[in-house]
């Protein structure tokens, strides 16, 4: 029942976005619809952005530590574990109606909902790489950790390339 008006608005806002080169629609009431999970569209989008901020912050902690002469293994382990926890349900961050058509500021592209299988693959590639990074941190082998960090970063980038708006 809530899907078709959102859809119509989506097509409209896509046209508007295309027309003015990517400005954000400034409707303060956008995203007030309530989703099946009880969150408003806006709250869902913000929660997902917070999730990614947590990922970004903790990934930076790991990268920064690896650049030092004496990396702090406990800090690396803690950050990797936090990343696993923060991203556990990433697939649930994307209910229908939380894309660019919502009118809420988001970098999520419509392709997420148009190519759900590929998006799910990107999530599982990421989950796999992060799980092995997390396991590798137990070894204390900084070279192996650095390799796992690189592999994980590649899965972040692969998803961003296709499914996140370019900065
Ligand atoms: C399966 C796809 C996918 C994966 C994997 C992924 N991201 Fe993202 N990321 C996105 C999308 C889509 C957005 C835009 C979300 C929005 O604005 O609603 C985003 C947004 C972000 C943001 C901006 C958050 C904000 O609003 O300030 C950061 C930072 C980020 N991602 C970091 C990462 C890092 C670091 C990784 C890997 C450790 C990662 N992402 C993995 C899809 C992904």
């Amino acid at each position: 029942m809530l899907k078709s008006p959102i859809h119509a608005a989506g097509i409209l806002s896509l046209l508007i976005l295309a027309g003015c080169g990517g400005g954000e629609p400034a409707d303060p009431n956008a995203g007030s619809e309530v989703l099946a999970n009880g969150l408003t569209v806006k709250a869902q989008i913000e929660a997902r952005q917070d999730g990614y901020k947590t990922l970004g912050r903790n990934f930076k902690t790991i990268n920064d530590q690896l650049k030092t002469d004496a990396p702090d293994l406990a800090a690396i382990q803690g950050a990797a574990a936090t990343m696993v926890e923060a991203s556990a349900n990433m697939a649930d961050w994307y209910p229908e109606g939380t894309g660019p058509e919502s009118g809420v500021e988001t970098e999520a592209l419509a392709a997420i909902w148009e190519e759900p299988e590929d998006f799910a693959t990107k999530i599982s590639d990421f989950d796999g790489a992060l799980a092995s990074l997390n396991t590798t941190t137990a070894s204390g082998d900084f070279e192996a950790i650095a390799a796992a960090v690189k592999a994980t970063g590649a899965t972040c980038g692969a998803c961003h390339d296709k499914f996140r708006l370019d900065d």
Side-chain angles (χ1 to χ4, degrees):
M1 53 170 193
L2 150 119
K3 218 165 136 188
S4 60
I6 288 185
H7 222 84
I11 290 161
L12 183 62
S13 60
L14 281 176
L15 290 173
I16 292 168
L17 280 173
C20 57
E24 303 298 342
D27 176 0
N29 299 316
S32 56
E33 305 85 353
V34 178
L35 296 161
N37 65 12
L39 293 179
T40 63
V41 166
K42 188 165 192 277
Q44 176 66 73
I45 290 172
E46 288 172 354
R48 147 175 110 206
Q49 292 168 339
D50 282 348
Y52 286 121
K53 282 178 190 144
T54 300
L55 285 181
R57 207 169 44 240
N58 284 278
F59 203 45
K60 182 174 187 310
T61 297
I62 299 174
N63 274 293
D64 288 350
Q65 283 303 324
L66 289 173
K67 284 183 207 141
T68 66
D69 293 335
D72 179 342
L73 183 59
I76 291 173
Q77 289 169 339
T82 301
M83 288 178 72
V84 171
E85 204 179 318
S87 60
N89 55 350
M90 193 184 284
D92 297 340
W93 297 356
Y94 293 91
E96 284 273 353
T98 65
E101 79 282 7
S102 65
V104 177
E105 193 176 328
T106 175
E107 293 177 358
L109 295 177
I112 292 168
W113 294 272
E114 289 161 5
E115 296 176 59
E117 283 177 23
D118 189 31
F119 189 66
T121 302
K122 296 286 189 286
I123 292 178
S124 68
D125 289 349
F126 163 75
D127 284 343
L130 179 60
S132 92
L133 167 60
N134 192 36
T135 308
T136 308
T137 62
S139 71
D141 174 346
F142 293 121
E143 267 185 43
I145 295 171
V149 164
K150 202 173 163 205
T152 302
T155 68
C156 311
C159 187
H160 290 173
D161 282 351
K162 182 159 177 187
F163 294 111
R164 180 184 173 192
L165 190 70
D166 279 342
D167 294 327

